[in-house]
Structure formats: C-alpha cells, structure tokens
Amino acid sequence: MVPRVVFGNGCFDQLGDILLSQRKHSDAPFIFLVDDVFEGKELSARIPRIFNDQLIFISADQEPRTSQVDALVEKIKNDFDELPSGIVGIGGGTLLDLSKAVAIMLTNNGSASQYQGWDLVSKPSIYHAGIPTISGTGAEVSRTTVLLGPEKKLGINSDFTTFDQVLLDPDLTEGVDKKQWFYTGMDCYIHCIESLKGTYLNAFSQSYGEKALELCKEVFLDDLSAEESRDKLMMASWHGGMSIAYSQVGVAHAMSYGLGFLLGVRHGIGNCLVFQHLEEFYPEGVAVFKKMQQKHNIKLPTGICANLDETEFETMISVAMGMVPLWENALGKEWRNIITPEKLEAIYRKI
Ligand code: NAD
Ligand code: ZN
C-alpha cells in the first residue's frame, strides 16, 4: 500500500515541504516527470524545483514503453554523478507508470523489459511520489506499472513499484477533455465491475470495490457540481485501485490488452470498446455502462477491427488469452471451457 497520502484542493502546494524531508543533499536532485500537456501552464510554474532538480516534459500520446523507461534512466544516470533523491510523476496513468518504472530501474540492472511480470524486482527502488491529473486508472495506488515491451504488454508488479507518497489534488484534473474524462473514468468503473464479479473477490476487495462503484455511479449518473464530481472521481479511482490490488481485473481488460498491443488502442477507450459487448459476462454492469454513455453523449468509434487479417486476430487473441490470472478471476479455473479463440474473435469483430 501507499504509505503516505494527502488529499484536497490545493494540496499540490504542500509538495515542496513534503520533498524537503526526502532530499539526500543538494547534489541529489528530484526529477519531475510531467505530462507535456502542462508545458507553459500555471502548474509547471508551481513545481517546487530547487538546487539542480530537473523537470522533464513527456508526451502521453503513447502509453509507456520499456525502451522509453530505459532511455530515461540512461539520461538521468548520464546527467548526474549519483542517484537522485527521488522521482515525482505528474500526469495520468501514463506518467505515473513511467515514474514508477524509472524509480525501479535506477537501482536495478538491465532493461525494464526483464522485469515485466510478477515479483521479479530484487532491489528497492528510489523514493517516488505520484500526483494524478486525471482520475480513473488507480495507477496512483497500485503495485504495478503497465509497460509495452518488445514481446508483451505487461506490468512490473512488485512491492517496490508502489509510490512512497501520493498527492491527490482534484483541482489538477480540471482541464481534462470530456471524452478522455469518460474513458479514464470508465477504467475505474470497469475495475469495480470486474473485481466485484470475479471469483477472486474477498472482503478486502469488496469493501473498496463497492465504495468505488457507488462513487462512479454518483459521478456518471447523478448531477453533481463540477467540484464534487472531481473530488469523488479521484476517490473512486483510489478505491477502485485498492479493490483490484487484492483481486484482479477480468474479461474487458484481458481483451483490451490485445487491442493495445496490436493497434496501440489506449487503455481507457480500449476497455470501453470491449466492455460494451460483454453482456454475457457482466449483464448489469454493461447496462449501467450504456446509461452512463448515453447521459454523457459519448459515441464510441466503430470499425476498429474491420480490416484486420487472420494473423492479426490471432495476435490479439494470443495476447488476451495469455492474461491467465484475469480469466481465472473472471470465470474460474475452468475458464478455457468457456473462452475459445473463436469466441474472442467474434467479440473483436464487433469492435
Ligand atoms: P493518460 O495518462 O494516457 O492521459 C490521457 C490524456 O489525458 C493525455 O492526452 C494526457 O495528456 C491528458 N491529460 C492528463 N491529465 C490532464 C489534465 N489535467 N488536463 C488536460 N489533459 C490531461 O491517461 P490515463 O487513462 O490516466 O492512463 C492510461 C495509462 O494508465 C495506460 O498506459 C494504462 O496502461 C495505465 N494504467 C495503469 C494502471 C496501473 O495500475 N498501473 C491501471 C490502469 C491503467
Ligand atoms: Zn484498467
């Protein structure tokens, strides 16, 4: 679990004080990895840089890759004689995951791709803090960092991945585009449904999942004020992440990984594209999803898989079916009796 968290509008301004106690000395900088959507914006000017701290703007147009993590680690090692005091990630799931991975790879040898999997990291990462600017993924609280590698899209899941500090300032999510707000918010909603309907469910996951689901319904179905909506979605994301920490996601995520790997379809929208066709597995969840979609007038793109050939379908299916824990959670140990390549191809063809 994340050991330290602050919450509240304007709490971003506590960052300087929080980092001060973590500074090793004046030559060990903090590296701020920031979504380039904030370049030239007020938030960048509020980043508490002192001594030789470095600010690196990074585009979130593509989801994080292992090669990108390796390049950032090399740059930081070249720029400084010693390890930084820490890494601070400011942005959505993309920047949060990149920051977690860089913090790990600054102390572990080789390429980030060697650590994609479960508990392969042997040395503790350096201090890292996460500051979400869009709500839904739960990346701020999870023990994984999802990376696209040369062979697979898979997280570095480890006890050293989790942030040491998280700062939840709902004001930072103010400028998010409406569609992106919906897609990333639905990531949280789908986390809740997949966790609560899964066979791995337990009291820990259920307690967080139910609260997150309740908050998602308020945000996406009620008429909250903008401020209330931002506050609640930020906490929904946190609770949704906590819920899957002790269980797993399910069918939509497994199939969305296939879309992401082959076509570069991003996580939030990829989950929505799959989830809309999963009535068979999550009937109530899909019905409520469609209500939310209608209320916010969100039309999902169509024809994404229209021109794919058999080999491409096979690639997506093989990536999706490789996500064994997700299928086990969704459908139990005998999931292979229910899920066949033909069945997955039929769903992909609808997208
Ligand atoms: P994102 O970080 O990819 O950002 C989506 C878009 O929103 C980008 O264009 C970004 O620039 C923009 N944006 C972010 N904050 C903004 C703001 N305040 N104002 C204006 N624009 C803003 O989006 P995401 O959905 O949060 O993250 C997706 C990533 O998270 C994927 O890479 C996925 O694999 C990962 N993920 C990780 C976990 C985990 O547990 N580690 C869980 C789910 C998803
Ligand atoms: Zn997700």
Side-chain angles (χ1 to χ4, degrees):
M1 290 170 75
V2 173
R4 283 164 191 256
V5 56
V6 290
F7 171 84
N9 291 319
C11 75
F12 185 79
D13 292 331
Q14 293 177 34
L15 183 61
D17 286 346
I18 288 170
L19 298 185
L20 206 54
S21 62
Q22 301 297 333
R23 288 186 186 273
K24 289 192 276 190
H25 51 79
S26 56
D27 288 333
F30 264 100
I31 313 289
F32 297 90
L33 303 182
V34 182
D35 190 319
D36 69 2
V37 78
F38 296 110
E39 198 161 0
K41 299 277 162 62
E42 186 226 349
L43 182 71
S44 302
R46 287 167 64 202
I47 294 173
R49 269 198 295 167
I50 52 173
F51 304 130
N52 54 350
D53 287 356
Q54 198 175 53
L55 193 163
I56 305 176
F57 286 111
I58 297 173
S59 162
D61 284 352
Q62 285 186 330
E63 296 194 336
R65 281 153 287 134
T66 52
S67 56
Q68 189 183 10
V69 173
D70 296 343
L72 275 165
V73 168
E74 202 183 316
K75 173 180 163 45
I76 295 167
K77 283 186 169 165
N78 283 339
D79 286 354
F80 300 97
D81 293 335
E82 57 182 290
L83 281 178
S85 292
I87 304 289
V88 181
I90 304 177
T94 298
L95 265 290
L96 297 179
D97 277 0
L98 264 178
S99 308
K100 295 195 225 181
V102 167
I104 291 170
M105 293 313 300
L106 278 166
T107 52
N108 287 274
N109 294 329
S111 161
S113 60
Q114 292 164 238
Y115 299 90
Q116 285 179 284
W118 280 268
D119 300 305
L120 302 174
V121 180
S122 54
K123 296 193 194 118
S125 55
I126 66 166
Y127 175 90
H128 50 302
I131 307 177
T133 63
I134 179 170
S135 300
T137 64
E140 65 278 17
V141 76
S142 71
R143 83 190 274 282
T144 189
T145 153
V146 185
L147 301 174
L148 188 62
E151 286 155 27
K152 53 196 167 198
K153 185 177 177 190
L154 187 63
I156 301 180
N157 299 263
S158 83
D159 286 340
F160 305 122
T161 308
T162 323
F163 283 115
D164 298 292
Q165 168 83 53
V166 168
L167 229 133
L168 300 176
D169 184 342
D171 274 354
L172 303 186
T173 65
E174 221 179 313
V176 173
D177 154 87
K178 166 125 188 236
K179 275 191 179 161
Q180 191 62 54
W181 165 79
F182 186 83
Y183 298 148
T184 301
M186 283 304 108
D187 188 23
C188 176
Y189 172 73
I190 296 169
H191 290 160
C192 300
I193 302 296
E194 294 188 330
S195 169
L196 291 170
K197 295 289 168 201
T199 62
Y200 288 6
L201 191 65
N202 52 72
F204 185 100
S205 292
Q206 189 176 2
S207 63
Y208 285 105
E210 284 174 351
K211 187 69 206 175
L213 182 59
E214 182 190 313
L215 290 166
C216 282
K217 285 182 176 166
E218 283 185 58
V219 169
F220 291 102
L221 293 175
D222 294 350
D223 295 302
L224 304 179
S225 71
E227 187 181 334
E228 217 179 343
S229 167
R230 287 197 293 272
D231 288 6
K232 291 195 177 197
L233 192 53
M234 192 158 260
M235 287 322 296
S237 174
W238 180 271
H239 283 78
M242 288 298 290
S243 179
I244 46 175
Y246 245 109
S247 66
Q248 250 307 346
V249 283
V251 181
H253 275 77
M255 294 192 68
S256 173
Y257 273 103
L259 287 174
F261 185 81
L262 183 76
L263 302 171
V265 175
R266 293 160 63 160
H267 189 86
I269 189 171
N271 288 347
C272 292
L273 286 168
V274 177
F275 193 72
Q276 62 179 335
H277 299 300
L278 299 184
E279 290 95 344
E280 178 184 346
F281 306 103
Y282 308 111
E284 286 166 35
V286 174
V288 172
F289 170 81
K290 291 192 171 162
K291 260 196 213 167
M292 293 171 167
Q293 204 187 337
Q294 210 171 15
K295 181 169 168 72
H296 297 285
N297 197 19
I298 301 287
K299 294 194 176 46
L300 291 168
T302 53
I304 305 283
C305 298
N307 299 318
L308 300 184
D309 61 28
E310 271 317 311
T311 323
E312 289 171 316
F313 276 113
E314 274 167 28
T315 304
M316 281 198 300
I317 292 165
S318 129
V319 171
M321 289 187 74
M323 309 301 292
V324 174
L326 282 65
W327 293 110
E328 262 191 28
N329 172 48
L331 303 165
K333 288 224 178 304
E334 305 303 319
W335 63 273
R336 284 179 203 276
N337 295 337
I338 307 168
I339 292 299
T340 58
E342 294 72 31
K343 182 153 204 151
L344 293 192
E345 181 167 334
I347 297 174
Y348 277 130
R349 281 192 182 280
K350 292 186 195 167
I351 294 172

